[in-house]
Amino acid sequence: MALLEIKNLHARIGDTDILHGINLTINRGEVHAIMGPNGSGKSTLSYVLSGRNGYEITEGDILLDGESLLEMEADERARAGMFLAFQYPVELPGVGGMAFLRAAVNARLREQGEDEVDQLGFVKLVRAKANELGIKDDMLKRAVNVGFSGGEKKRYEILQMALLNPSIAILDETDSGLDIDALKIVSEGVNSQRGPEIGMVVITHYQRLLSHIVPDFVHILSAGKIVKTGDKSLALDVEENGYSDMMENANVA
Amino acid sequence: MSPDTITLSSVQNRAQERFAETGWPAKKAEAWKYTSLENLVSASLQPANDISGAVATPKEIAGPHCRLVFHGGQFRDDLSDALPAGVRLVMLGDDESALAAIDELGASDNLVSRLTVAKMTAGISLQVAQGALIDRPVMLQFVGGAPAASSHPVIHIDIGDGAHFAYAEHHETNNRLSAPFIVVRVGAGAKLDHVKLQLENAATHHLGLTCLSLGERADVNSMSLSLGGALSRLETHVRLEGEYGELGLSSIYLGKNDQHHDMTTRVAHEVANCNSRQIIRGVLDDNARGVFQGQVRVAPHAQKTDGQQMSRALLLSRDAEADAKPELEIFADDVVCSHGATVGELDETHLFYLQSRGIDEAEARAMLIDAFLVEAVAEIRHQGFAELFRPFLSGWQVPHKG
Ligand SMILES: Nc1ncnc2c1ncn2[C@@H]1O[C@H](COP(=O)(O)OP(=O)(O)O)[C@@H](O)[C@H]1O
Ligand SMILES: [Mg+2]
């Protein structure tokens, strides 16, 4: 059975239709890249998949392991294995980072019928994973995302992904705001989580990220529709020729 | 009238005359603009005189403190602990300077300073010796009472120069009206830690007045929590009377159902070089209403004053309401004073971020409410008081009906 199936998905915010019939099937072990110009609906798709309020699904369905997600709240989806690395991670003043990470991990463990983590062991685990991502100890002590640089926020998203061990991860422009060294570290962090059980959707504007996280499939999103699908060479096409050619061709086709 | 002729009954008589003159605040009185006492005025209240019944200390309140118990409005020496060395307790009538201070405060037009002295149900005076460093906090415990009764304890605390003292208040009565009047003189170089827990029963009205005066280099850290009661007003007046005084005066109110919480502060910088800092946080659910009135007055010669005040209210329901009335009256030119008041709701983006990590809505809300309060809680300097305080915040949180 497919891991995630997006079927003819139409979605709107208020009176504005944004997604116009998206079809996409992701199997375990696959990495799909979604590329597209600004405003094409990439973040909207990521929010709709993860269950953010305020989006109306006017048609279609989203299935995770064959079960429709549409009636599930964001937290239920997350506990079922969905993870979104935000394009703009949210600052939570006053919410301690460690308490936040532990609440998230415990919520997932409870769902799986497992014991909650013990505090000391958890702190060690977090430190070790953080270290791999070049996250300093002092960042872990701060409030969630508060006072983090753009790059630090992105690393912190990947740290959360590593701790939550999702079955489907959506990374929304994780490369934006990263310099080349940070990009390498973050990509290594993501690659180390690749495996036969997890599916990934890597959303990006640029080909650059995809030379580090090499996708199995590349889809081009334009005006709320997937207009082209190919393998990793499609990303190189975009890099050379830009989106406009491709979109014109797609519109003609 | 010379101070050596002052007696308890003369002070009470004067308070009765003053109260007869001014009575309950008029509906249009500016100081009571947001808080109506109509319910109380129409009730026939009897000053409490019930001294029967056992007194159980709720386990959340138990601790290493020295308890002084006011039950049914009366001071219960028999239920109270022996005071630590360096602290002396005398009956108010036997402390002329305390009586004089109370009489003087009754001259200004304030409801509680008149009403409570007029109808006094108990009066004690605590004297902390000069230079005494008192480790063990005193817990003033107000319990018992009856639904048609009002209790009017008057407490004077004198903290001698250079002394260190800490006291907590625990209010959990069954009275219709609980109106404690507490007057504290903090001597030069003295240090005071204070925490107040207003946990009155659901039908109780709480009108508390605390008047503090700070001498030179006095250092006060105070935190109040208003959690219980049908209607409450926690009013605090502070006079900074000696240079280099330090005042931290913070409060948190948490309201649900039809509760009404009023936090009113009046800080007077009478002299130069003092700091005052007030952090106020309120969370209101259902139809609850919160009021913060904060007056900071800087006298003409009180240069180099630093007066900060920040009030924030968080509304969890469309029917909740918060009002804030900051008032800065600055007559000096070389000062740093600021105030701010905001009213907001939980941020949808914050909730989504937490929920996207698998944290359910109720827990996510609780985390964000805690986060909203954390800055105020951090103001509590006394470690033991911080520990005493915190459980009431988390205990207040209930899963929200989404
Ligand atoms: N809250 C919103 N209300 C109305 N329109 C929105 C809202 N959020 C995004 N949009 C619109 O939806 C389209 C897709 O936006 P988005 O999904 O953020 O694109 P991308 O991530 O590909 O840059 C854009 O035209 C944008 O203006
Ligand atoms: Mg986007």
Side-chain angles (χ1 to χ4, degrees):
Chain A
M1 188 197 298
L3 172 63
L4 185 73
E5 256 185 289
I6 303 169
K7 291 178 160 174
N8 190 31
L9 186 66
H10 289 70
R12 63 195 312 193
I13 311 172
D15 293 335
T16 317
D17 292 306
I18 296 177
L19 304 181
H20 301 278
I22 293 187
N23 288 290
L24 187 60
T25 299
I26 295 157
N27 293 299
R28 289 178 188 279
E30 292 175 356
V31 173
H32 291 243
I34 296 183
M35 301 182 74
N38 279 331
S40 57
K42 303 184 299 294
S43 291
T44 301
L45 176 62
S46 74
Y47 290 145
V48 168
L49 293 176
S50 54
R52 184 168 190 163
N53 290 331
Y55 296 85
E56 188 192 345
I57 314 252
T58 49
E59 226 183 304
D61 204 350
I62 309 164
L63 307 177
L64 180 62
D65 292 314
E67 302 269 343
S68 174
L69 294 180
L70 296 193
E71 294 302 312
M72 289 164 74
E73 296 290 330
D75 56 293
E76 297 174 88
R77 296 186 195 192
R79 293 195 300 274
M82 170 80 69
F83 181 85
L84 168 63
F86 283 56
Q87 180 175 1
Y88 303 108
V90 179
E91 296 187 10
L92 302 177
V95 177
M98 269 299 175
F100 161 72
L101 295 175
R102 209 167 63 234
V105 168
N106 280 337
R108 181 119 160 88
L109 288 175
R110 277 199 301 272
E111 183 84 5
Q112 294 166 337
E114 288 178 38
D115 289 343
E116 298 193 355
V117 292
D118 83 290
Q119 196 159 339
L120 262 180
F122 185 69
V123 171
K124 276 191 188 150
L125 174 72
V126 171
R127 284 228 181 99
K129 300 241 184 216
N131 196 24
E132 286 171 20
L133 288 163
I135 295 173
K136 292 179 229 92
D137 269 10
D138 108 277
M139 251 174 80
L140 297 172
K141 288 180 195 140
R142 280 188 244 157
V144 176
N145 287 319
V146 176
F148 292 16
S149 69
E152 286 173 334
K153 286 178 181 169
K154 297 304 176 79
R155 292 176 202 216
Y156 198 63
E157 294 292 288
I158 302 308
L159 171 65
Q160 293 170 51
M161 173 175 158
L163 292 168
L164 288 168
N165 202 11
S167 53
I168 177 83
I170 302 158
L171 311 182
D172 190 2
E173 298 207 26
T174 296
D175 50 339
S176 65
L178 295 182
D179 62 29
I180 189 70
D181 293 328
L183 184 70
K184 273 187 194 153
I185 295 171
V186 165
S187 302
E188 276 166 29
V190 173
N191 285 332
S192 73
Q193 291 172 61
R194 279 178 86 154
E197 290 305 314
I198 188 172
M200 290 187 189
V201 178
V202 179
I203 295 172
T204 183
H205 192 74
Y206 302 104
Q207 188 276 336
R208 189 178 75 144
L209 176 69
L210 302 180
S211 55
H212 296 279
I213 305 171
V214 181
D216 302 300
F217 303 93
V218 174
H219 311 277
I220 308 299
L221 187 69
S222 169
K225 280 184 92 144
I226 289 176
V227 293
K228 198 159 190 183
T229 292
D231 63 12
K232 62 186 179 193
S233 63
L234 183 55
L236 293 167
D237 271 11
V238 171
E239 182 80 354
E240 267 169 44
N241 305 317
Y243 287 111
S244 41
D245 280 10
M246 199 167 296
M247 276 143 51
E248 272 161 34
N249 293 342
N251 288 344
V252 172
Chain B
M1 175 200 50
S2 79
D4 46 352
T5 64
I6 201 161
T7 62
L8 182 60
S9 58
S10 68
V11 171
Q12 277 200 280
N13 286 340
R14 232 177 336 271
Q16 277 156 9
E17 284 161 21
R18 286 165 173 162
F19 183 64
E21 224 169 84
T22 47
W24 295 88
K27 255 190 205 160
K28 287 195 221 96
E30 186 60 25
W32 295 87
K33 186 172 163 187
Y34 300 107
T35 298
S36 161
L37 298 180
E38 241 172 305
N39 269 335
L40 272 182
V41 177
S42 57
S44 67
L45 298 172
Q46 286 308 312
N49 60 0
D50 169 25
I51 55 161
S52 63
V55 175
T57 297
K59 66 174 188 318
E60 310 82 62
I61 296 297
H65 348 284
C66 164
R67 290 195 313 163
L68 296 182
V69 178
F70 293 79
H71 183 244
Q74 315 295 305
F75 175 59
R76 291 286 298 273
D77 202 13
D78 57 321
L79 298 173
S80 298
D81 297 327
L83 285 160
V87 186
R88 206 162 78 92
L89 185 156
V90 297
M91 291 300 112
L92 190 61
D94 299 330
D95 185 337
E96 283 186 13
S97 61
L99 285 173
I102 284 161
D103 193 41
E104 196 187 317
L105 289 164
S108 74
D109 177 13
N110 177 280
L111 173 68
V112 175
S113 66
R114 296 179 170 190
L115 174 70
T116 278
V117 178
K119 297 186 184 298
M120 189 185 306
T121 54
I124 65 166
S125 163
L126 290 178
Q127 300 165 351
V128 182
Q130 270 191 23
L133 306 178
I134 312 297
D135 284 338
R136 192 170 169 214
V138 167
M139 166 73 79
L140 304 173
Q141 219 179 332
F142 303 85
V143 292
S150 62
S151 70
H152 302 278
V154 179
I155 296 161
H156 189 276
I157 302 177
D158 187 279
I159 303 169
D161 293 353
H164 290 186
F165 186 59
Y167 79 96
E169 296 171 58
H170 163 225
H171 298 269
E172 195 166 356
T173 71
N174 297 314
N175 292 311
R176 180 61 183 272
L177 171 63
S178 183
F181 179 31
I182 300 182
V183 179
V184 188
R185 188 191 76 89
V186 187
K191 182 174 151 186
L192 170 66
D193 285 285
H194 167 245
V195 67
K196 172 169 180 169
L197 303 169
Q198 188 280 98
L199 314 172
E200 303 281 16
N201 280 290
T204 298
H205 291 59
H206 181 102
L207 300 177
L209 174 65
T210 299
C211 296
L212 291 157
S213 65
L214 277 70
E216 193 179 314
R217 293 184 198 278
D219 180 358
V220 171
N221 181 275
S222 167
M223 167 61 85
S224 296
L225 172 67
S226 200
L227 184 80
L231 176 149
S232 68
R233 166 134 150 172
L234 275 55
E235 186 160 345
T236 308
H237 298 178
V238 185
R239 288 169 58 90
L240 292 142
E241 296 175 345
E243 289 194 36
Y244 304 102
E246 287 282 339
L247 171 70
L249 182 66
S250 295
S251 55
I252 292 177
Y253 59 86
L254 305 173
K256 337 176 169 181
N257 304 321
D258 293 315
Q259 277 186 306
H260 181 110
H261 293 302
D262 174 337
M263 304 304 222
T264 292
T265 64
R266 218 191 270 174
V267 174
H269 285 262
E270 302 287 346
V271 295
N273 293 310
C274 293
N275 296 333
S276 67
R277 177 179 159 84
Q278 301 180 66
I279 308 278
I280 297 93
R281 293 286 182 275
V283 185
L284 298 165
D285 203 351
D286 306 317
N287 298 302
R289 178 131 189 233
V291 176
F292 170 67
Q293 305 188 105
Q295 187 195 73
V296 177
R297 193 177 172 283
V298 181
H301 41 278
Q303 304 295 2
K304 309 282 182 199
T305 287
D306 185 340
Q308 310 293 330
Q309 182 190 87
M310 183 67 210
S311 140
R312 292 176 63 197
L314 177 64
L315 305 182
L316 301 179
S317 133
R318 298 239 166 262
D319 298 318
E321 185 184 329
D323 296 293
K325 192 175 84 174
E327 254 182 289
L328 297 188
E329 294 180 10
I330 301 174
F331 301 101
D333 48 21
D334 185 14
V335 301
V336 186
C337 284
S338 75
H339 69 88
T342 67
V343 179
E345 297 167 16
L346 286 177
D347 187 320
E348 184 274 335
T349 310
H350 293 182
L351 271 174
F352 173 59
Y353 192 67
L354 290 170
Q355 287 187 261
S356 77
R357 273 32 179 167
I359 298 166
D360 68 32
E361 189 186 346
E363 189 178 354
R365 281 172 162 269
M367 287 171 78
L368 294 176
I369 293 168
D370 275 347
F372 175 77
L373 297 174
V374 77
E375 202 188 340
V377 177
E379 291 289 304
I380 307 174
R381 174 176 62 186
H382 189 283
Q383 193 57 37
F385 285 174
E387 281 161 28
L388 178 74
F389 197 84
R390 276 200 200 94
F392 293 99
L393 303 182
S394 40
W396 184 80
Q397 305 259 6
V398 285
H400 202 266
K401 52 276 172 194

